[in-house]
């Protein structure tokens, strides 16, 4: 493995793990806050127990997210020094603000975890909300930095120099809103289905039904609302990419030839050697409409992109198809769930629906990872789109392959530890909370 591939692989691995830890850490506090609010309003001990159980999960993922995020910060400087040399002064503001949000989140989490029976009950609830809001703000600010890499703004690039720097304009670049919206909804959807699926599994096993039913309903509502809104944010993102990054759109859709109108491909096997796609289902004019809002508009294909600026088509296309396919499946589950609620059916009688949520536990995160593959691989060969190539930013330091192996071991070990802690926490729920949750709710 050469050093350039090792550097890219290490960054991909680090981001792949961190994105899951951070998404859970920024979404779970809202589940926790809703449960806490319900306990304060109803005085139902079940909601108090759910809140306490979820708060321990929030603490676990806050710690792991802090560790993986810190490692990522060092990796940016160690692996991509040329990038940080030029980009640091431009997009440093969102990273600085993200650090502030992180510290607020840490302080609020400390108040919440150790504030039971010590703080005013509503102030205690408020600290939990602060954990969620500051965590969400952290995620949005990091995405703003990434969106700047896809849509550089806030500077003039003249004779290889970065002049007239405007950090505010850089942070609020043209891509930040669409990327932040899509990412936040993806985080709520993925985490919601994962949490709801775990509680659905416990319900199917007849383990402390009152506790798990209440927890399931809160997580499922967040998940299903996110799944319903995600296609709308996806449409906004697609239209934005079509304007700013036509090469990425062409790779996403495996569109090798510029067409007017352009068909939408579903599935298909990409052959990059002869620039063809086989066994795909074509929907005439659909890509033109999704990209430009007009069934007859032209969509630029790879034939209009210089060879040395073309991203890998196969991996981008497969990742995009995976993301969209899973998103469609989760949308279907959400519609079925809301239909069940509308008909006022008992969830305990709909075991098949609970099993669907169990099967969906990993799907949201698979789609999340696939979406980031589309974002990052589809931008190649640029680390700063249209300005700096990824190869120009990599460290000249040799032996990066060994660093990749070490970091891989660390992340795999960290994941094993997190899985063990969560498994132990789930197993302890019946022991810790069974006494006060013996009554099963109607829904």
């Amino acid at each position: 493995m050469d050093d350039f591939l090792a550097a890219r692989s290490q960054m991909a691995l680090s981001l792949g793990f961190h994105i899951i830890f951070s998404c859970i850490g920024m979404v779970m506090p809202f589940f926790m806050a809703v449960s806490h609010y319900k306990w304060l309003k109803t005085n139902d001990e079940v909601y108090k127990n759910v809140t306490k159980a979820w708060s321990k999960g929030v603490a676990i993922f806050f710690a792991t997210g802090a560790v993986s995020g810190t490692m990522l910060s060092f990796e940016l400087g160690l692996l991509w020094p040329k990038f940080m040399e030029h980009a640091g002064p431009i997009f440093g503001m969102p990273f600085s603000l993200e650090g502030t949000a992180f510290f607020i989140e840490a302080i609020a989490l400390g108040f919440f975890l150790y504030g039971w029976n010590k703080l005013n009950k509503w102030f205690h609830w408020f600290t939990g909300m602060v954990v969620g809001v500051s965590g969400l703000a952290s995620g949005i600010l990091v995405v703003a930095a990434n969106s700047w890499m896809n849509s550089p703004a806030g500077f003039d690039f003249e004779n290889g120099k970065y002049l007239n720097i405007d950090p505010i304009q850089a942070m609020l670049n043209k891509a930040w809103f669409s990327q932040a919206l899509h990412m936040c909804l993806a985080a709520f959807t993925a985490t919601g289905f994962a949490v709801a699926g775990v509680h659905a599994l416990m319900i199917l096993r007849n383990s402390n039904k009152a506790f798990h039913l209440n927890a399931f309903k809160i997580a499922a509502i967040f998940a299903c609302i996110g799944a319903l809104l995600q296609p709308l944010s996806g449409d906004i993102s697609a239209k934005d990419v079509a304007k700013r990054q036509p090469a990425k759109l062409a790779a996403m859709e495996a569109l090798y030839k510029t067409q007017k109108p352009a068909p939408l491909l579903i599935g298909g096997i990409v052959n990059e050697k002869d620039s063809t796609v086989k066994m795909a289902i074509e929907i005439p004019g659909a890509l033109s409409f999704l990209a430009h809002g007009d069934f007859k508009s032209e969509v630029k294909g790879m034939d209009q992109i210089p060879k040395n600026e073309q991203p890998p088509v196969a991996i981008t296309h497969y990742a995009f198809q995976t993301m969209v396919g899973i998103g469609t499946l989760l949308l279907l589950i959400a519609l079925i769930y809301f239909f069940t609620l509308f008909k006022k059916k008992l969830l305990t009688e709909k075991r098949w629906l609970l099993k669907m949520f169990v099967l969906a536990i990993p799907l949201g995160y698979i789609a999340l990872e696939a979406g980031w593959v589309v974002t990052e691989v589809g931008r190649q060969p640029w680390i700063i789109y249209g300005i700096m190539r990824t190869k120009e930013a990599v460290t000249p330091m040799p032996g990066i392959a060994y660093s990749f192996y070490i970091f891989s071991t660390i992340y795999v070990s960290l994941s094993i530890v997190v899985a063990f802690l969560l498994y132990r926490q789930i197993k302890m729920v019946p022991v810790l909370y069974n006494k006060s949750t013996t009554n099963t709710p109607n829904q």
Side-chain angles (χ1 to χ4, degrees):
M1 181 183 292
D2 63 58
D3 289 337
F4 178 57
L5 179 59
R8 290 187 63 189
S9 299
Q10 182 175 324
M11 203 70 193
L13 177 78
S14 303
L15 281 168
F17 277 98
H18 180 68
I19 194 172
I20 295 178
F21 297 149
S22 60
C23 283
I24 296 174
M26 65 191 256
V27 169
M28 279 292 292
F30 290 100
F31 299 0
M32 181 181 74
V34 170
S35 179
H36 195 180
Y37 178 81
K38 284 180 171 288
W39 172 59
L40 293 175
K41 297 297 290 185
T42 65
N43 206 31
D44 187 340
E45 286 291 315
V46 175
Y47 289 115
K48 179 181 179 182
N49 293 335
V50 170
T51 304
K52 286 190 171 183
W54 277 346
S55 68
K56 294 178 181 178
V58 169
I60 291 171
F61 281 104
F62 177 83
T64 53
V67 172
S68 60
T70 302
M71 292 171 69
L72 269 172
S73 299
F74 284 115
E75 286 176 3
L76 279 172
L78 291 172
L79 299 177
W80 313 103
K82 289 294 183 181
F83 168 70
M84 293 304 296
E85 176 186 349
H86 297 292
I90 304 172
F91 79 151
M93 177 172 285
F95 273 130
S96 300
L97 294 176
E98 191 275 336
T100 302
F102 173 79
F103 283 120
I104 294 173
E105 182 182 6
I107 294 169
L109 182 60
F111 273 109
F112 187 84
L113 293 176
Y114 299 102
W116 290 97
N117 303 319
K118 297 181 181 68
L119 302 173
N120 173 276
K121 64 179 184 180
W122 286 107
F123 179 76
H124 186 218
W125 172 82
F126 175 74
T127 61
M129 281 295 298
V130 172
V131 174
V133 172
S134 56
L136 190 64
S138 293
I140 291 173
L141 288 166
V142 169
V143 171
N146 179 269
S147 65
W148 176 84
M149 297 165 69
N150 285 279
S151 180
F155 66 96
D156 294 325
F157 186 66
E158 299 177 4
N159 300 320
K161 296 182 179 180
Y162 297 78
L163 307 172
N164 303 322
I165 294 173
D166 183 348
I168 298 295
Q169 186 181 355
M171 184 171 66
L172 301 179
N173 57 81
K174 293 181 180 180
W176 85 266
F177 174 75
S178 60
Q179 279 197 210
L181 177 64
H182 199 57
M183 181 65 204
C184 289
L185 288 175
F188 275 98
T189 303
T191 304
F193 273 105
V195 174
V198 170
H199 290 291
L201 180 61
M202 295 298 105
I203 296 168
L204 291 170
R205 292 180 177 179
N206 294 314
S207 173
N208 202 356
K209 279 191 174 181
F211 177 95
H212 290 294
L213 273 169
N214 281 282
F216 170 84
K217 288 187 289 183
I218 294 172
I221 287 294
F222 275 101
C224 293
I225 292 176
L228 291 176
L229 294 177
Q230 193 69 309
L232 300 177
S233 72
D235 181 66
I236 294 172
S237 296
K239 287 179 168 57
D240 178 61
V241 168
K243 293 178 181 178
R244 294 183 300 97
Q245 295 174 299
K248 178 185 287 187
L249 180 68
M252 288 162 55
E253 299 293 348
L255 186 69
Y256 281 103
K257 295 182 179 180
T258 301
Q259 297 186 47
K260 179 182 180 180
L264 179 70
L265 300 186
I266 299 177
I269 299 174
V270 178
N271 188 328
E272 291 191 294
K273 291 183 178 180
D274 59 9
S275 302
T276 60
V277 183
K278 299 178 180 179
M279 302 176 64
I281 300 172
E282 291 191 7
I283 303 177
L287 180 57
S288 295
F289 178 77
L290 291 175
H292 303 293
D294 180 3
F295 283 101
K296 297 181 180 180
S297 62
E298 180 180 275
V299 179
K300 184 183 293 186
M302 282 294 173
D303 57 342
Q304 291 194 22
I305 309 298
K307 279 286 185 181
N308 64 346
E309 296 181 9
Q310 292 182 5
V313 175
I315 187 172
T316 307
H317 177 69
Y318 294 144
F320 180 69
Q321 293 289 309
T322 299
M323 179 186 68
V324 173
I326 291 176
T328 303
L329 179 59
L330 296 181
L331 173 63
L332 179 61
I333 296 175
L335 291 172
I336 294 172
Y337 179 69
F338 282 127
F339 180 77
T340 302
L341 291 184
F342 178 75
K343 289 293 185 179
K344 297 182 180 180
K345 301 291 185 180
L346 298 180
L347 286 174
T348 50
E349 296 177 359
K350 300 292 182 182
R351 294 179 64 85
W352 58 268
L353 179 57
L354 294 173
K355 289 178 180 178
M356 290 177 68
F357 274 90
V358 173
L359 292 174
I361 290 175
L363 294 183
Y365 291 117
I366 294 173
L368 194 68
E369 298 283 8
W372 273 99
V373 169
V374 172
T375 300
E376 299 304 297
V377 177
R379 185 179 68 241
Q380 298 306 312
W382 307 101
I383 192 168
I384 306 175
Y385 190 73
I387 303 292
M388 178 184 285
R389 293 176 181 269
T390 308
K391 279 189 175 182
E392 299 170 353
V394 71
T395 178
M397 182 178 68
I400 298 300
Y402 298 105
S403 173
F404 168 65
Y405 299 140
I406 292 170
F407 273 78
S408 298
T409 303
I410 292 173
Y411 276 110
V412 171
S413 302
L414 186 62
S415 298
I416 292 172
V417 171
V418 171
F420 169 74
L421 291 174
L422 291 177
Y423 176 77
R424 189 179 68 171
Q425 178 63 24
I426 293 170
K427 293 288 287 185
M428 290 175 63
V429 165
V431 177
L432 295 175
Y433 306 119
N434 200 42
K435 292 182 181 180
S436 60
T437 58
T438 54
N439 295 323
T440 302
N442 293 327
Q443 281 291 329

